[in-house]
Amino acid sequence: PVSFDNLSTIASGAIVSSTWNFGDGSISFDLDAVHTFGDAGTYFVELTVVSDSGCVGSIINEVVISDNPISDFTSTLACIGGTITVMDQSIAQNGSITSRQWSIDEGVSWATGGASLDVSFPTSGWHEIGLITTNSAGCTDTTYSNVLVLDPPMAMFMADSVCEGSVTTFWNTSAYMTGLPTNYLWNI
């Protein structure tokens, strides 16, 4: 919402009515007005005042309503204790992104940061990250998303018991809670 203060004065008598025309089809008869514009753009707002003697005065001022940024980010995957990189993908809409505030795990605290952030979590599962962006017009937007922290796989194997010099077979019996292993390295 935008607040409009009626600063009209009169040399003698009193102002008995005020009419605000916001340039978007909306009007208000309040002395001081508050209005929410539905879209970004330039509006010509007119204030018309009438005195107790019937005299009319008006003024038109230009009001520029800016778009909010669109906050967004992406993240990498990591296992417990590993580093997750979170990267800002926000769109400024007007000018550029001038500030970012990041929140880790439920918005308990917010910290000013750059376009990327490296975080680590001590437990597996979904963890919430929030981002507030501000553009050069001073408009803000907030978004939240969950990042997944994986359990590390548990490396295990079995082997045949054989006599010295005989060939044995090894079976991979590794366990993993989330995802599938991408490679195996046997050191025999």
Side-chain angles (χ1 to χ4, degrees):
V2 179
S3 296
F4 294 91
D5 294 325
N6 186 337
L7 303 177
S8 302
T9 60
I10 189 168
S12 64
I15 295 173
V16 294
S17 73
S18 301
T19 304
W20 295 91
N21 181 336
F22 298 106
D24 63 355
S26 300
I27 61 171
S28 171
F29 299 105
D30 295 332
L31 177 64
D32 296 317
V34 175
H35 182 67
T36 300
F37 293 91
D39 296 308
T42 300
Y43 297 89
F44 295 94
V45 177
E46 180 178 19
L47 169 62
T48 303
V49 293
V50 179
S51 72
D52 56 358
S53 61
C55 296
V56 177
S58 66
I59 186 171
I60 297 174
N61 280 331
E62 179 181 281
V63 175
V64 177
I65 304 299
S66 299
D67 285 312
N68 289 327
I70 300 170
S71 294
D72 191 24
F73 61 88
T74 59
S75 62
T76 59
L77 287 175
C79 293
I80 294 172
T83 299
I84 293 177
T85 300
V86 183
M87 296 146 293
D88 181 14
Q89 301 293 313
S90 301
I91 299 169
Q93 301 272 61
N94 282 337
S96 60
I97 300 294
T98 58
S99 74
R100 297 168 184 85
Q101 289 183 302
W102 296 94
S103 136
I104 309 301
D105 263 347
E106 318 276 327
V108 173
S109 63
W110 291 87
T112 301
S116 67
L117 180 70
D118 290 333
V119 293
S120 179
F121 295 96
T123 59
S124 64
W126 293 99
H127 296 270
E128 185 178 82
I129 294 180
L131 171 63
I132 300 173
T133 54
T134 304
N135 65 18
S136 49
C139 302
T140 63
D141 186 47
T142 304
T143 189
Y144 294 91
S145 186
N146 290 313
V147 296
L148 179 61
V149 177
L150 305 171
D151 288 305
M154 184 180 300
M156 298 183 295
F157 68 92
M158 293 178 16
D160 288 334
S161 294
V162 296
C163 297
E164 182 181 338
S166 298
V167 175
T168 188
T169 303
F170 295 91
W171 293 278
N172 178 7
T173 59
S174 299
Y176 39 88
M177 299 298 291
T178 53
L180 295 173
T182 56
N183 58 26
Y184 300 92
L185 177 63
W186 293 88
N187 186 2
I188 300 174

